[in-house]
Amino acid sequence: MGGGAVGISGAARPAWSVLIDAIEALSGASTMEQVIEIVRRRAREISGADGITFVLRDGDRCFYVDEDAIGPLWKGQKFPMTSCISGWAMLNKRAAIVPDIYLDARIPHDVYRPTFVKSLMMVPVRIEDPLAAIGAYWAHEHEPDAQEAELLQNLARATATAIANVTLQTSLRNAAEQATAQAAEIGRLYDETVRENAERRKAEEQLRQAQKMEAIGNLTGGMAHDFNNLLGIVIGNLDLMVAGTDLGEQTRQMSGEALDAAIRGADLIRRLLAFARRQPVQPKLLRINELIRGIGTLLGRTLGERVKLTLELSEQAWPIIVDPAQLEASIVNLANNARDAMPNGGRLAIATANRTVDEDSAEQLGTITPGDYVVVEVADNGSGMPPDVAARIFEPFFTTKEKGRGTGLGLAMVSAFVEQTGGRIGLYTEPGKGTVFRLYLPRAASEEIESEAALPVMIPGGTETVLVVEDNEQLRRVAMRALSGLGYRVLEAADADAASRSLEAGPVDLLFTDLVIPGRVKGRDFAADALVRHPGLKILLTSGFPDTVLDAAERPNGWRLLTKPYRREELARAVRDTLDGTA
């Protein structure tokens, strides 16, 4: 039989054309089953054989995965490599051509007698380290010519590449070095590898971004401790000032405004920590319109006179459950981006509306569950974005702003926040016409909004003895002032040694200690040791490090943790609850 081939249909086709078709088909295969089916069908066309078999190497055994030459006799069977011709081809790393199987000592003749096979060619897949073999069987004596042999060997090489490609996909390209080598080889053979390389580069970029985010999280966590201590001093002293009775009205108003600003600063730290996954979100049931109206004045000052802000808020907007601070930050961020897109002025509209997303709409929007949503729309008539920019706008660290004006984190934070709520953010933009962001926020199951509780007229106090262990002198002084004003007898210590002396000197009812104190032990370990020596002692922990909020190991025995910066009433309630055993 010569270089031409006859397909199953009987129509003659050039063998090289069949090989090219086989290579193209193998390049698109995504499973081993697809590879085997393509090889069996195309090998028969290339060789004109009466039957084809596909054998995988399984350690020191040959595994006959699929074949139509021997019928069900061998399909699914495993044999020692040394007892079959496919094993011989793989062990010797070269093709086995057998014109007459009954004249070849390598063939187990008795096994073949029930079959139609009279001649065969067995080609190893991947010469340097065979992992499979392709066999062609003829019902008559036949010796493939040079072109037939070359075609089958080329098919074997393409098969090796296809198997490597499938392995590469299923292992999620974790072996980057091997994936690069295999993708380069596939790239020379198939157009499909362009997509493979792009996906791998994207995965590597995502890994780099994840590493950047981890670094930001670590940096943010360390800085948060210091900022929270500073804010604790500011908030604590302002709380005491506002609670005083000897302030003039103007001073009280100024102190209140400064206190509000400090509390907003603490909220900002929490938002940054939540984005860096160092702080849990704090969702609340709220009505979106009240929040948007509340920040309208702030936006008016931020946007400037050249940007006209309008609010189009649906009075029927459903309640939602979100972190108010993060939602506010998201809207402000979108508004600021809109301002930057309108350097010569323009219009910015913030609207709310109810929307029920059905199955069809959910499919169009992407990753969103069908259901009821409140949609917050932030629209401007600014410069808009070209498609290549819009495609990357939510990537961390991607920014089109000039150096020093943007970090590339703003929209990534907005997107992450919306997804945390179970919603989705949509983007509609056109160069020269403007941009619309739509935040889909899930409707709350309950319609009842709890009113904000007013500050209690009488903040709980007591007469017990409290030992405050805090190395920051100013923050320690704030806590002592607050507790003394509540009637407690207050002792102070800057480190574990001084605290130990205070505990030994006289009875102490409550130990209020930072988790990080100078000395050889942590505040947690110091408290545990103190409890052993003073069994009736109550423990209240505090920390400016955000990681401890999530780490239950830092709070053994269910000890309460008061996160810095804390308000005067929060400190009072935590101390009282701890002393009363209700914390």
Side-chain angles (χ1 to χ4, degrees):
M1 189 173 292
V6 178
I8 296 175
S9 65
R13 296 186 61 200
W16 283 105
S17 173
V18 176
L19 176 62
I20 292 171
D21 290 346
I23 291 174
E24 290 178 350
L26 286 170
S27 72
S30 59
T31 66
M32 275 298 297
E33 288 76 11
Q34 291 176 351
V35 170
I36 294 169
E37 175 60 25
I38 292 167
V39 169
R40 288 181 58 247
R41 182 158 45 90
R42 298 302 186 181
R44 183 190 288 267
E45 291 186 64
I46 287 171
S47 64
D50 299 304
I52 299 294
T53 187
F54 190 93
V55 185
L56 279 176
R57 182 171 186 173
D58 184 6
D60 60 352
R61 301 174 74 82
C62 298
F63 175 35
Y64 281 71
V65 179
D66 204 352
E67 53 86 15
D68 55 9
I70 315 300
L73 189 60
W74 287 358
K75 185 174 181 179
Q77 300 279 347
K78 294 183 180 181
F79 304 98
M81 294 279 286
T82 55
S83 68
C84 56
I85 193 65
S86 56
W88 185 96
M90 287 187 278
L91 290 173
N92 289 273
K93 301 179 181 180
R94 60 191 178 93
I97 299 176
V98 184
D100 186 340
I101 64 171
Y102 297 106
L103 299 179
D104 195 306
R106 296 171 297 180
I107 304 297
H109 301 155
D110 290 341
V111 175
Y112 276 85
R113 292 191 191 281
T115 73
F116 69 82
V117 179
K118 294 297 185 291
S119 59
L120 62 83
M121 178 177 179
M122 192 69 66
V123 184
V125 174
R126 200 169 68 185
I127 297 296
E128 65 277 8
D129 183 19
L131 52 83
I134 301 171
Y137 297 102
W138 290 268
H140 56 278
E141 293 184 11
H142 174 72
E143 181 174 358
D145 60 22
Q147 182 173 331
E148 284 179 342
E150 184 179 359
L151 288 170
L152 284 174
Q153 288 168 343
N154 275 308
L155 178 62
R157 280 191 284 272
T159 302
T161 301
I163 292 174
N165 186 25
V166 169
T167 303
L168 199 61
Q169 293 182 52
T170 56
S171 66
L172 300 179
R173 301 166 186 85
N174 286 333
E177 197 170 328
Q178 179 183 357
T180 300
Q182 293 293 345
E185 179 182 359
I186 298 167
R188 290 189 295 270
L189 297 173
Y190 317 112
D191 291 339
E192 184 67 16
T193 46
V194 175
R195 181 183 64 82
E196 297 292 341
N197 285 333
E199 289 185 359
R200 186 176 62 259
R201 286 193 297 270
K202 182 178 178 181
E204 291 169 351
E205 180 63 23
Q206 289 174 341
L207 175 60
R208 285 193 291 270
Q209 297 294 359
Q211 291 170 338
K212 288 180 184 179
M213 291 304 301
E214 181 65 22
I216 286 177
N218 292 334
L219 176 62
T220 305
M223 292 176 63
H225 175 262
D226 295 333
F227 273 112
N228 283 334
N229 277 344
L230 293 173
L231 288 170
I233 296 168
V234 174
I235 291 173
N237 280 311
L238 288 171
D239 255 339
L240 293 172
M241 289 177 62
V242 172
T245 58
D246 55 349
L247 294 179
E249 183 59 33
Q250 184 177 12
T251 303
R252 184 182 301 280
Q253 182 179 357
M254 293 169 62
S255 299
E257 291 176 353
L259 179 59
D260 288 341
I263 293 172
R264 288 175 69 86
D267 287 338
L268 176 60
I269 293 296
R270 279 193 289 270
R271 288 198 297 271
L272 288 172
L273 292 172
F275 174 64
R277 294 178 174 83
R278 293 298 192 275
Q279 175 92 1
V281 295
Q282 299 177 344
K284 295 180 180 178
L285 186 68
L286 56 83
R287 296 196 183 278
I288 183 67
N289 292 348
E290 295 176 7
L291 183 142
I292 293 177
R293 290 190 185 102
I295 62 175
T297 303
L298 170 65
L299 287 178
R301 292 195 300 265
T302 302
L303 297 174
E305 296 179 354
R306 290 188 295 182
V307 176
K308 181 181 179 182
L309 172 65
T310 59
L311 303 181
E312 302 172 7
L313 310 178
S314 169
E315 295 302 326
Q316 287 76 40
W318 295 316
I320 56 176
I321 298 180
V322 296
D323 187 317
Q326 290 204 54
L327 178 55
E328 177 181 329
S330 297
I331 295 173
V332 170
N333 186 285
L334 294 175
N336 287 338
N337 282 347
R339 175 202 59 198
D340 294 342
M342 300 182 290
N344 299 319
R347 298 187 305 275
L348 174 65
I350 301 178
T352 60
N354 297 333
R355 180 171 178 184
T356 297
V357 178
D358 57 21
E359 294 284 351
D360 292 338
S361 299
E363 185 175 352
Q364 295 173 15
L365 289 169
T367 54
I368 188 171
T369 303
D372 291 337
Y373 293 84
V374 174
V375 179
V376 181
E377 182 177 281
V378 180
D380 67 70
N381 64 341
S383 58
M385 290 176 276
D388 59 326
V389 172
R392 301 186 58 194
I393 201 67
F394 297 115
E395 293 181 14
F397 305 103
F398 175 77
T399 180
T400 58
K401 297 178 182 179
E402 61 188 52
K403 188 175 182 180
R405 292 200 59 200
T407 63
L409 288 174
L411 288 175
M413 291 175 67
V414 175
S415 177
F417 157 67
V418 175
E419 290 180 1
Q420 278 183 312
T421 69
R424 189 183 186 281
I425 185 168
L427 169 64
Y428 307 86
T429 184
E430 188 173 340
K433 294 189 177 180
T435 299
V436 179
F437 287 96
R438 291 194 178 101
L439 280 59
Y440 289 78
L441 305 171
R443 178 184 182 179
S446 173
E447 296 286 335
E448 296 182 5
I449 305 292
E450 295 183 7
S451 60
E452 292 290 333
L455 292 177
V457 176
M458 296 296 294
I459 296 177
T463 58
E464 293 91 339
T465 299
V466 179
L467 174 57
V468 178
V469 185
E470 170 63 63
D471 63 315
N472 186 304
E473 182 179 357
Q474 293 174 305
L475 192 56
R476 186 171 70 248
R477 197 158 50 238
V478 169
M480 292 179 64
R481 287 193 192 116
L483 293 172
S484 296
L486 294 169
Y488 294 103
R489 175 174 174 261
V490 185
L491 305 176
E492 64 174 310
D495 54 40
D497 292 337
S500 295
R501 290 193 294 270
S502 294
L503 288 171
E504 297 299 332
V508 174
D509 298 294
L510 184 141
L511 173 64
F512 179 44
T513 179
D514 194 351
L515 279 172
V516 179
I517 57 176
R520 292 174 294 176
V521 296
K522 294 182 178 180
R524 173 200 61 192
D525 297 330
F526 172 74
D529 181 63
L531 189 59
V532 172
R533 291 183 285 110
H534 305 278
L537 186 65
K538 302 290 187 178
I539 306 296
L540 176 61
L541 304 174
T542 184
S543 177
F545 276 119
D547 282 354
T548 57
V549 175
L550 302 177
D551 189 358
E554 296 287 346
R555 309 191 298 276
N557 304 317
W559 291 341
R560 181 166 179 170
L561 176 66
L562 185 61
T563 305
K564 302 175 186 177
Y566 45 77
R567 302 289 303 277
R568 174 171 172 262
E569 61 270 20
E570 291 174 330
L571 173 62
R573 178 60 61 190
V575 169
R576 190 68 260 162
D577 289 348
T578 302
L579 285 168
D580 294 341
T582 59

